[in-house]
């Protein structure tokens, strides 16, 4: 089964399982790291997740994977919290974290509203409107970044 097929099937299985345990599936990836394949899930809930939460998801998911048995070869299952620099993956994430400090990396150089080309934008998340992420940058100017140009977006730790 191809990596993208594993991710799709795992999302179908893990999403409802994680939700039934009162958490949200933030991200799921299946990729080669060194010589081994890793199936990594990031789970979260309001107030954060504990080590026991991660262990419960891992245990429940392992039982299902043993029965389903659709992943070929050896892999390592990892379940963890997204941590302080939580990735923003869904449109709902941009709504939920409005007002928070974020870092966005784009696929290509894009100008901020002052005309400065850049690939990394750090600032306060103001809104997501019509597929465009609006930020008030740390330097003071603003920027509008089309969601389809976002390579990676994360919350940034605020001191």
């Amino acid at each position: 089964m191809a990596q993208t097929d594993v991710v799709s099937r795992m999302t179908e299985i893990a999403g409802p399982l994680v939700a039934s345990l009162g958490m949200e599936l933030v991200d799921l990836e299946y990729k080669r790291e060194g010589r081994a394949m890793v199936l990594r899930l990031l789970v979260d809930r309001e107030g954060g997740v504990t080590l026991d939460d991660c262990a419960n998801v891992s245990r429940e998911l392992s039982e299902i994977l043993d029965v389903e048995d659709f992943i070929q070869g050896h892999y390592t299952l990892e379940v963890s919290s997204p941590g302080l620099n939580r990735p923003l993956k869904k449109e709902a994430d941009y709504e939920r974290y409005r007002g928070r400090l974020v870092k966005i990396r784009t696929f290509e150089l894009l100008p901020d509203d002052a005309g400065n080309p850049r690939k990394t934008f750090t600032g306060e998340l103001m809104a997501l409107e019509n597929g465009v992420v609006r930020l008030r940058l740390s330097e003071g100017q603003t920027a509008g970044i089309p969601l389809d140009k976002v390579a990676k977006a994360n919350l940034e730790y605020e001191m």
Side-chain angles (χ1 to χ4, degrees):
M1 184 175 266
Q3 286 179 317
T4 54
D5 295 334
V6 169
V7 169
S8 294
R9 181 73 180 114
M10 279 306 304
T11 302
E12 291 172 4
I13 293 169
L17 169 70
V18 170
S20 75
L21 296 171
M23 292 173 268
E24 170 194 6
L25 179 62
V26 174
D27 197 12
L28 186 149
E29 60 184 12
Y30 180 63
K31 66 182 191 177
R32 179 167 306 284
E33 290 188 356
R35 293 184 180 159
M37 293 300 290
V38 177
L39 177 60
R40 181 174 295 120
L41 286 80
L42 297 180
V43 297
D44 203 4
R45 80 163 101 220
E46 200 64 41
V49 294
T50 66
L51 189 56
D52 286 340
D53 292 329
C54 293
N56 288 337
V57 171
S58 181
R59 189 172 30 261
E60 298 265 344
L61 199 52
S62 290
E63 289 178 16
I64 293 170
L65 290 171
D66 287 346
V67 171
E68 295 277 332
D69 196 29
F70 62 90
I71 301 175
Q72 306 300 312
H74 179 75
Y75 63 93
T76 301
L77 174 63
E78 292 180 4
V79 179
S80 64
S81 160
L84 297 174
N85 293 346
R86 184 190 203 277
L88 305 178
K89 293 288 189 170
K90 306 172 204 125
E91 287 190 20
D93 294 338
Y94 291 90
E95 295 296 328
R96 180 183 309 155
Y97 296 107
R98 183 179 296 190
R100 297 280 305 272
L101 183 65
V102 299
K103 178 184 271 186
I104 296 178
R105 291 182 185 90
T106 58
F107 291 112
E108 59 195 55
L109 284 172
L110 296 173
D112 59 28
D113 292 346
N116 304 311
R118 54 172 73 202
K119 286 180 86 170
T120 302
F121 299 80
T122 303
E124 177 190 345
L125 177 58
M126 295 167 43
L128 174 64
E129 300 167 341
N130 302 317
V132 176
V133 180
R134 298 292 311 161
L135 296 180
R136 179 174 294 110
L137 301 177
S138 301
E139 300 88 14
Q141 71 273 36
T142 58
I145 306 157
L147 201 51
D148 64 352
K149 302 289 186 191
V150 173
K152 186 175 183 180
N154 295 77
L155 290 177
E156 282 290 288
Y157 180 69
E158 299 180 63
M159 294 207 178

